[in-house]
Structure formats: structure tokens, C-alpha cells
Amino acid sequence: MAQPVTTKGGKLRVMLGNDAEPIVYAAPCGFTSRSLTLSKGLEDVNLPDCDDPDAVSWTGRDATSLSMAVSGEGVMAQESVETWLDAWESVDSVPARIELEFPAKTVAWVGRMHVESIEAGGENGRRVTKSISMQSDGEMTRTVTP
């Protein structure tokens, strides 16, 4: 049995870019966990049986949209707090690059995302943590590099 090729959680990188040309991306410090969600909007349509109009119809689905969401949790690092707050305060979406690195290739998406929410919390005597949620704003272009 062949074993799957996997990667570690730190190889899923969330990077924000500047609005310069060319865009320079950097991964804000502090995430200890992160997730990537790829969604497809679907619209249902009934597909009748043309030979038997009284038969129960099957449901067909048409794709109507694609969306990407990123969320992450970790410590609130002084080095990145201004980066996250600037992105959240921006009325416009910010350049973003999401990378998933495997030993033989890296899959990356580049586009613009909105920082939807930032949640900070902490208990007395413990470190402040953060939870951040981002949503795509338009197309996220996928590339694969060896």
C-alpha cells in the first residue's frame, strides 16, 4: 500500500500583500492554526424524465459562484497587529496569497480578500490570542509550482 504524501500545518501559509507594484507578500506572525475553505454556490433545477412525465424528477445542480474563505487562530503578535488592523479597517479588499506547500510542489492562490473579522481574547495571566476570518473578493487565481 502506498502512503499518501502529506504536509504539516505550518506549510499552509496566509500572506497579505502591499499595494505596490510588484506586490510583496508577507505572512503576518502569530498563527498556530489555520484553515482554507473553498466553496461553490449551486442552484438546484429539477430534471424531468422525458419518457415518463409522472416519474419523480432528479435534481440537477448548476454552479453559480466560487468563493474562498480563510480563518486562523493563534497568539496576537505585536509584529502583526497593525497589519491585521489596517487590513480590517480598509474599505477595499487587500492583496492576499494563500500557499499550500508539499514536498514536491506548492499550490497557491492569489487575489484580493477582505478581513471579515478579528477576535482577540485572553485570560488574566495568559497571552492574548486572535481569531481572524477572511473572505475572497473576486477571483482567486490558482498556480502550481514544483
Side-chain angles (χ1 to χ4, degrees):
M1 178 173 108
Q3 295 294 312
V5 177
T6 62
T7 193
K8 303 261 185 193
K11 301 292 184 179
L12 173 55
R13 289 184 284 277
V14 177
M15 295 180 279
L16 300 182
N18 58 17
D19 278 317
E21 194 58 47
I23 298 172
V24 176
Y25 295 96
C29 180
F31 276 149
T32 55
S33 69
R34 58 211 65 66
S35 68
L36 167 66
T37 303
L38 304 172
S39 301
K40 183 185 293 186
L42 299 174
E43 187 174 273
D44 292 354
V45 60
N46 286 330
L47 301 174
D49 182 331
C50 293
D51 293 331
D52 184 0
D54 292 327
V56 175
S57 297
W58 279 93
T59 300
R61 291 182 174 84
D62 295 328
T64 59
S65 63
L66 298 174
S67 179
M68 175 184 279
V70 173
S71 62
E73 297 179 348
V75 295
M76 184 62 85
Q78 176 179 298
E79 297 84 354
S80 64
V81 69
E82 292 293 327
T83 300
W84 288 117
L85 291 174
D86 288 348
W88 176 78
E89 289 172 351
S90 176
V91 175
D92 297 320
S93 54
V94 297
R97 178 178 176 91
I98 313 304
E99 290 183 349
L100 184 54
E101 181 185 335
F102 291 94
K105 67 181 175 183
T106 299
V107 180
W109 292 266
V110 175
R112 297 187 71 86
M113 299 188 88
H114 279 285
V115 174
E116 178 181 36
S117 67
I118 300 173
E119 180 181 340
E123 298 178 23
N124 290 343
R126 312 264 324 257
R127 296 174 200 264
V128 173
T129 60
K130 68 179 176 206
S131 177
I132 294 177
S133 173
M134 299 169 59
Q135 299 287 333
S136 60
D137 182 21
E139 182 178 5
M140 297 295 290
T141 305
R142 179 171 52 99
T143 59
V144 178
T145 55

